Amino acid sequence: MLTGKVAVITGASRGIGRAIALEAAENNARVAVIYAGNTAAAEETVGEIKKLGGEAKAYQCDVGLFEETKKTIDKIIEDFGGIDLLVNNAGVTRDSLLLSMKEEAFDEVINVNLKGAFNMIRHVYSHMMKKRAGRILNITSVAGIMGNAGQANYASAKAGMIGLTKTVARELASRNITCNAIAPGFIETDMTAAMPEKILEEAVKAVPLKRVGRPEDVSRLAVFLLSDLAGYITGEVIRVDGGLCM
Ligand code: NAP
């Protein structure tokens, strides 16, 4: 579905990002794997793609840093000859009730989750405009739709990503570039593994499908939205949450 396309995927060393990277490679995309600090995990993603007969390269880059993202995008364009698909998936949580949330915890989550997506889009924007083609996909969260106690920073960032998605979709539609978002519910990754077991158990009770999702539940939709099959879908936010937020 993605033959020959160059896909840049942030946070592709682990979890949902890795699943999107593998699924994209299985669909014949060439993949730039962006990660923050976990080189071994990023190289594992690259190794798995190579095992599939695909092409991939890892880039360490803090998506929250404007200049660093510019350098990384320039390097990827040099290495791969261009960029067709961008997935803003990198994300962090620093949960606590607002009453005790430290200023740094608010700033960090906004900076990585929301500004990180802005930084990446900002640096591929003119490149995709000139090509008159491109797909941008933002991984938001149901927390950005429903809010979530203990996640004022995260829910704000994820709600912001939805506004960003719709704005980019409007700005770039005339250039044949789409921008969509996926809002996952609870998905089995290191992020949910860090949640207290009791809280996750309670949370799953509220999921109509009565289970947590798998990274592949998200990556299959991601590849569809990145493909030509989704050419008439833009500015959309699709939940992958087992019915949690319907
Ligand atoms: P995860 O397993 O914790 O992995 C996070 C990924 O983001 C890692 O690859 C990490 O790189 C990367 N990352 C973190 N900070 C970064 C930074 N500053 N710059 C570049 N990369 C950075 O997370 P996940 O559960 O797969 O979540 C992926 C996305 O889905 C996130 O945006 C998350 O908010 C969203 N989401 C997840 C769930 C869920 O239930 N899991 C639900 C809704 C939404 P390193 O490996 O180098 O640290």
Side-chain angles (χ1 to χ4, degrees):
M1 276 208 285
L2 307 177
T3 301
K5 301 274 200 264
V6 176
V8 177
I9 303 168
T10 70
S13 45
R14 295 184 278 128
I16 293 170
R18 174 184 282 184
I20 296 173
L22 292 176
E23 191 100 20
E26 274 167 24
N27 283 276
N28 301 315
R30 304 161 66 209
V31 183
V33 168
I34 294 188
Y35 70 102
N38 198 335
T39 306
E43 288 304 339
E44 208 177 299
T45 304
V46 168
E48 283 190 39
I49 290 174
K50 288 187 174 161
K51 248 193 266 163
L52 293 167
E55 182 184 343
K57 192 171 171 192
Y59 298 84
Q60 184 170 14
C61 167
D62 180 345
V63 296
L65 299 175
F66 190 77
E67 282 308 320
E68 194 165 312
T69 49
K70 179 171 178 1
K71 278 191 201 138
T72 305
I73 291 290
D74 289 347
K75 182 79 177 91
I76 293 169
I77 292 173
E78 191 187 313
D79 291 349
F80 284 85
I83 294 171
D84 303 290
L85 318 169
L86 167 65
V87 181
N88 288 308
N89 164 81
V92 291
T93 51
R94 297 286 179 269
D95 298 352
S96 71
L97 291 176
L98 193 67
L99 182 69
S100 54
M101 186 173 284
K102 299 252 185 333
E103 185 186 3
E104 301 78 57
F106 190 85
D107 289 347
E108 185 187 351
V109 170
I110 297 288
N111 196 53
V112 174
N113 298 19
L114 178 57
K115 186 161 174 256
F118 162 77
N119 288 341
M120 295 297 293
I121 294 169
R122 177 68 181 77
H123 300 311
V124 298
Y125 195 102
S126 53
H127 176 74
M128 284 186 178
M129 260 178 75
K130 280 184 207 134
K131 289 178 86 148
R132 291 189 165 267
R135 294 265 184 276
I136 298 170
L137 178 62
N138 295 322
I139 308 301
T140 173
S141 166
V142 291
I145 301 172
M146 315 160 70
N148 196 20
Q151 291 196 311
N153 47 5
Y154 184 79
S156 302
K158 294 300 190 183
M161 275 183 114
I162 293 174
L164 178 67
T165 299
K166 293 180 181 179
T167 300
V168 172
R170 286 185 187 280
E171 286 192 17
L172 288 175
S174 66
R175 305 296 169 120
N176 190 35
I177 296 160
T178 66
C179 182
N180 292 291
I182 296 178
F186 295 100
I187 307 294
E188 210 166 26
T189 67
D190 292 346
M191 191 176 272
T192 40
M195 286 171 71
E197 208 172 310
K198 264 235 140 60
I199 292 186
L200 186 59
E201 243 175 65
E202 281 308 307
V204 171
K205 282 187 193 155
V207 176
L209 284 174
K210 297 290 174 227
R211 65 168 176 89
V212 291
R214 292 176 289 265
E216 295 70 34
D217 291 320
V218 179
S219 63
R220 284 192 284 263
L221 174 61
V223 165
F224 168 72
L225 289 172
L226 294 171
S227 77
D228 287 345
L229 295 176
Y232 201 55
I233 301 173
T234 197
E236 190 56 85
V237 183
I238 302 180
R239 294 178 294 105
V240 179
D241 66 350
L244 175 67
C245 171
M246 69 177 135

